[in-house]
Amino acid sequence: MLELKNVDAHYGPVQALRGVDLRVREGEIVTLIGANGAGKSTLMTGIFGAPRISSGQILFRGQDISRVPSHKVSQLGIALSPEGRRIFPRMTVMENLRLGATFVDPAHFGSDLERIFALFPVLGERHQQRAGTLSGGEQQMLAIGRALVSRPRLLMLDEPSLGLAPIYIRKIFQIIREVNRTDGMTVLLVEQNAHHALRLADHAYVLQHGEIALSGTGAELLKSPEVKAAYLAGTHAESV
């Protein structure tokens, strides 16, 4: 479904991605882990052209989207729930969700809204509440819901558990699993909570200094000595 081939990306003279090769097959959960500054968010936003990649190719369902405008990428069926949520705090929950559905047939909005409220009941309860007054975990649910109402073929999640309490972390990972298994949603997940992310993943990549250092199934990377030492030390195997 999504393939990055030998992708480089720069911020001015600073190279953020170096020869990245990555593949997401339809129906998979693919996880990308790495330390702060490794280039994970650059990879995600680079798919939307921010920054525009310096060289290489980004293919979505066989189409080269390396130079496609950001809004056109969304219309092709890719949605991003960005790091830091980036909801519109002065708008209500409902208004944020309506913005997510900008590029889809409005006839679907009612049924899509029912699905979002089934996944995240608190959003239904607070649909007229200003988004900025929600808790951090509730705002993350809203950010994911806003992405889902765009009816994406590929859902990209950038650090969805960042800064959340454990109860919300468990909920977020449960929802990721549900939309993948029940709805058949393809997911590309960037996450620092490596243990939970790798347990979910069909395939996983480790990004270091802008380069892919390791790849394999989620189970393989959970057992990798290098991954254990760098990303799993001090964690515990809590069920999701």
Side-chain angles (χ1 to χ4, degrees):
M1 176 176 277
L2 178 74
E3 188 171 6
L4 277 65
K5 294 183 174 182
N6 198 30
V7 166
D8 292 344
H10 292 75
Y11 293 102
V14 178
Q15 187 164 2
L17 297 176
R18 295 177 171 84
V20 170
D21 292 310
L22 179 146
R23 177 178 292 180
V24 181
R25 294 177 176 86
E26 191 159 3
E28 286 187 331
I29 297 176
V30 173
T31 290
L32 182 65
I33 63 172
N36 285 334
K40 304 186 302 297
S41 292
T42 298
L43 187 152
M44 298 285 265
T45 57
I47 293 168
F48 283 86
R52 189 68 65 187
I53 65 171
S54 312
S55 61
Q57 279 187 308
I58 302 173
L59 303 175
F60 181 65
R61 299 176 71 88
Q63 177 183 348
D64 189 340
I65 62 170
S66 306
R67 296 291 179 266
V68 172
S70 299
H71 68 284
K72 294 289 187 182
V73 174
S74 296
Q75 292 176 22
L76 290 172
I78 304 176
L80 172 63
S81 177
E83 182 181 2
R85 304 156 199 153
R86 300 187 191 177
I87 59 167
F88 295 92
R90 294 180 180 273
M91 292 184 177
T92 66
V93 167
M94 182 65 75
E95 288 168 339
N96 272 269
L97 291 172
R98 286 192 181 279
L99 282 174
T102 298
F103 295 123
V104 299
D105 186 343
H108 298 301
F109 186 67
S111 60
D112 291 343
L113 202 60
E114 288 181 10
R115 176 62 173 147
I116 297 306
F117 291 163
L119 290 169
F120 305 113
V122 69
L123 298 183
E125 296 165 6
R126 303 187 181 186
H127 67 280
Q128 293 299 340
Q129 187 170 325
R130 284 195 178 186
T133 65
L134 300 176
S135 71
E138 292 162 353
Q139 289 183 20
Q140 185 61 67
M141 292 175 187
L142 177 56
I144 295 173
R146 183 181 60 188
L148 287 172
V149 294
S150 70
R151 294 188 150 228
R153 293 187 173 97
L154 172 63
L155 174 64
M156 304 199 309
L157 303 170
D158 193 353
E159 302 285 9
S161 77
L162 185 64
L164 300 188
I167 187 171
Y168 285 115
I169 293 174
R170 289 193 295 271
K171 176 67 173 176
I172 293 299
F173 279 99
Q174 287 166 359
I175 292 300
I176 295 169
R177 175 180 285 163
E178 181 172 346
V179 298
N180 173 254
R181 293 184 177 178
T182 303
D183 302 343
M185 181 73 65
T186 305
V187 179
L188 176 58
L189 171 66
V190 162
E191 183 54 62
Q192 286 195 29
N193 193 323
H195 185 269
H196 283 336
L198 291 175
R199 289 186 65 201
L200 279 180
D202 297 295
H203 201 85
Y205 296 86
V206 177
L207 195 65
Q208 293 180 351
H209 308 296
E211 300 178 279
I212 299 296
L214 291 169
S215 68
T217 67
E220 287 170 345
L221 291 195
L222 273 172
K223 297 175 182 177
S224 162
E226 296 94 333
V227 171
K228 284 182 177 180
Y231 303 107
L232 301 177
T235 65
H236 61 284
E238 182 180 336
S239 297
V240 177

